[in-house]
Amino acid sequence: MDAAAPYNPRTVEEVFRDFKGRRAALIKALTNDVEEFYQQCDPDKENLCLYGFPSEQWEVNLPAEEVPPELPEPALGINFARDGMQEKDWLSLVAVHSDAWLIAVAFYFGARFGFDKADRKRLFNMINDLPTIFEVVTGTTKKQGKEKSSVSNNSSTKSKSNSKRGSESKLSKAMQAKEEDEEEVGLGMEEEDEEEHGETFCGACGELYAPDEFWICCDICEKWFHGKCVKITPARAEHIKQYKCPSCSNKRARS
């Protein structure tokens, strides 16, 4: 595993940066790269693990041979359950074990380099501010945020929404909120919208909603994505009648 070159973050910030890189890699494997990940997890092969690296690259491979390993190991044998479960359930199971592995690695570094109580608490709080891989893969948090924002977006511009429903569903939340605020609502509603949008995370990279970026919603799984993460521009979105994210497109192709 060349991507797993020795790396020993020694400060809270370095460990958190390591955590974010590995997390981004695992989210990529379970969302944007799910077709490739699925194919690599052949049940006929030996016990396989899903690794995420600080470089945001992922890998399906055999576990380390040394005992004990340099770092905690991911869940072993994820490939054996692939064909015995519904795909979404299998991906969710891998996501849960990946979350547990990320925490284990982060606090391994904390223990190894003598983090005190305050540092461990600060590290956990930084990690806890991000949605889990399970939440990103299943859309648990994003669906709640989408439901709230859709009520806000449609309450005062209902007729306009109905006439342009196909195209406006492709606009970013930031653009919708800005338009409504300028036309019909005051500063108080703008602050409320920001709070609601703050609960939404990108289904590809898992990062929190940002009001200055273009977003698009998948019409199949209802997850929201940065346009840049799925390579969709605002101009292109205007001509898409039904947007399907990479994960939903891959599932449809397999079925």
Side-chain angles (χ1 to χ4, degrees), residues 11-251:
T11 68
V12 171
E13 288 72 24
E14 287 176 345
V15 173
F16 182 60
R17 190 159 54 246
D18 178 273
F19 177 92
K20 287 182 65 178
R22 295 177 191 274
R23 174 180 172 275
L26 296 173
I27 289 175
K28 189 186 301 182
L30 299 173
T31 55
N32 283 4
D33 297 347
V34 68
E35 177 70 18
E36 182 182 353
F37 171 65
Y38 185 92
Q39 295 299 330
Q40 290 192 27
C41 291
D42 186 346
D44 291 332
K45 294 182 179 179
E46 298 180 60
N47 287 291
L48 296 175
C49 300
L50 171 61
Y51 293 88
F53 303 111
S55 61
E56 299 189 8
Q57 300 300 310
W58 61 271
E59 176 180 272
V60 173
N61 211 330
L62 296 171
E65 294 182 1
E66 67 267 24
V67 179
E70 182 180 358
L71 290 176
E73 286 289 301
L76 182 65
I78 56 171
N79 52 312
F80 292 155
R82 191 194 73 178
D83 294 347
M85 304 174 66
Q86 292 289 330
E87 182 177 328
K88 65 178 183 178
D89 294 333
W90 175 66
L91 292 174
S92 297
L93 179 65
V94 176
V96 169
H97 283 290
S98 296
D99 280 319
W101 178 65
L102 285 179
I103 291 290
V105 171
F107 279 82
Y108 165 84
F109 285 128
R112 180 173 179 180
F113 296 112
F115 287 8
D116 59 19
K117 181 178 180 180
D119 283 343
R120 292 195 302 271
K121 183 176 181 180
R122 187 156 65 94
L123 175 60
F124 177 79
N125 287 338
M126 293 167 74
I127 290 173
N128 202 38
D129 281 339
L130 296 174
T132 64
I133 298 175
F134 176 81
E135 289 172 332
V136 173
V137 170
T138 61
T140 304
T141 324
K142 296 180 288 299
K143 286 182 180 179
Q144 295 174 356
K146 181 179 181 298
E147 289 171 359
K148 289 184 179 180
S149 67
S150 63
V151 172
S152 173
N153 290 338
N154 295 329
S155 60
S156 58
T157 57
K158 198 168 186 180
S159 60
K160 184 175 181 180
S161 303
N162 291 336
S163 63
K164 295 185 178 182
R165 185 175 180 182
S167 62
E168 285 193 356
S169 66
K170 308 299 178 295
L171 294 175
S172 72
K173 289 185 175 183
M175 294 171 67
Q176 290 177 346
K178 182 178 179 182
E179 179 183 352
E180 290 178 352
D181 290 339
E182 291 175 348
E183 291 179 355
E184 299 192 44
V185 298
L187 182 60
M189 280 296 294
E190 182 178 356
E191 294 175 350
E192 182 179 336
D193 285 345
E194 288 179 357
E195 291 178 1
E196 292 169 349
H197 294 150
E199 299 178 3
T200 303
F201 301 90
C202 176
C205 68
E207 293 299 322
L208 190 65
Y209 162 84
D212 59 345
E213 296 179 298
F214 171 70
W215 286 64
I216 188 168
C217 180
C218 175
D219 290 312
I220 305 301
C221 66
E222 299 186 342
K223 295 180 182 179
W224 286 91
F225 300 85
H226 287 111
K228 63 183 180 181
C229 289
V230 291
K231 299 180 181 179
I232 299 293
T233 63
R236 183 180 174 190
E238 288 293 338
H239 300 286
I240 301 176
K241 293 182 179 180
Q242 184 184 54
Y243 174 67
K244 286 181 284 189
C245 68
S247 178
C248 290
S249 296
N250 288 333
K251 290 178 182 178

